[in-house]
């Protein structure tokens, strides 16, 4: 009986997903097919690895005391160093990725309800985005390491 109920639930979910897919606009269908493709996941994985490698290089330089890209004390709201620019770019990429997944899969709540990995991605990306806004908003807090550490959650 339990197997029958599971099979019926799965069949209902497939029919409901097919009906939702048919109601989508052509552009959303295209986005959905891209986001659900293996190529998309490969690109995201490559970006995550690039982020991790970049952070390893930056940390190695810092630990060795050879950090030529010292954090500046400017509070002008602009990324000033290579590491700040890279952190901003990685944050932008991850934010775009989450937005695309949310559009393709039916919203942020849907992402969090059906995949703990996607939910973690949403939380870690939101953390990095908030850190980016706080660091680059002209104020006395300008430690861009906060962004880098938030991004490390994602990797």
């Amino acid at each position: 009986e339990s197997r029958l109920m599971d099979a019926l639930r799965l069949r209902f979910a497939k029919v409901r997903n097919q009906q939702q897919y048919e109601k989508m606009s052509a552009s959303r269908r295209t986005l959905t097919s891209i986001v659900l493709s293996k190529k998309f996941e490969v690109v995201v994985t490559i970006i995550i690895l690039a982020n991790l490698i970049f952070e390893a290089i930056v940390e190695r330089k810092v630990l060795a005391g050879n950090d030529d890209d010292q954090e500046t004390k400017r509070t002008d709201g602009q990324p000033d160093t290579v590491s700040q620019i890279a952190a901003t770019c990685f944050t932008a990429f991850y934010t775009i990725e989450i937005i695309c997944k949310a559009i393709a899969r039916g919203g942020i709540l849907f992402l969090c309800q059906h995949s703990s990995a996607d939910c973690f991605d949403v939380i870690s990306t939101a953390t990095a985005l908030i850190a980016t806004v706080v660091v680059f908003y002209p104020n006395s807090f300008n430690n861009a390491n906060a962004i880098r550490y938030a991004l490390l959650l994602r990797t």
Side-chain angles (χ1 to χ4, degrees):
E1 182 177 313
S2 176
R3 289 183 185 174
L4 177 61
M5 290 303 289
D6 289 342
L8 288 174
R9 276 191 217 112
L10 182 61
R11 177 69 181 140
F12 178 73
K14 285 181 180 179
V15 168
R16 187 179 57 186
N17 288 341
Q18 182 63 32
Q19 290 171 342
Q20 288 174 342
Y21 185 78
E22 290 170 359
K23 291 179 183 177
M24 290 180 189
S25 66
S27 57
R28 186 168 174 197
R29 282 187 202 172
T30 302
L31 179 65
T32 299
S33 64
I34 291 170
V35 168
L36 298 178
S37 72
K38 268 299 201 200
K39 288 180 183 178
F40 184 81
E41 286 302 317
V42 168
V43 168
V44 170
T45 301
I46 289 170
I47 298 296
I48 290 171
L49 287 173
N51 186 5
L52 188 60
I53 291 167
F54 181 81
E55 289 303 323
I57 291 168
V58 169
E59 283 302 313
R60 183 170 182 253
K61 289 171 74 177
V62 169
L63 292 174
N66 298 331
D67 189 14
D68 298 329
D69 196 27
Q70 293 291 325
E71 300 297 324
T72 64
K73 299 297 179 198
R74 292 170 50 190
T75 58
D76 61 358
Q78 299 295 317
D80 299 316
T81 65
V82 173
S83 63
Q84 290 176 356
I85 293 167
T88 303
C89 290
F90 285 123
T91 301
F93 174 81
Y94 295 144
T95 302
I96 291 167
E97 175 210 2
I98 293 299
I99 290 169
C100 289
K101 281 184 176 182
I103 291 169
R105 295 184 180 165
I108 296 293
L109 292 178
F110 182 81
L111 286 175
C112 290
Q113 289 174 348
H114 296 304
S115 170
S116 57
D118 282 339
C119 188
F120 183 77
D121 289 348
V122 167
I123 292 168
S124 61
T125 300
T127 302
L129 187 59
I130 291 167
T132 302
V133 169
V134 169
V135 167
F136 294 127
Y137 183 79
N139 62 47
S140 61
F141 183 80
N142 66 343
N143 188 348
N145 287 331
I147 302 167
R148 291 181 39 235
Y149 297 140
L151 286 172
L152 283 175
L153 286 174
R154 182 67 197 263
T155 58

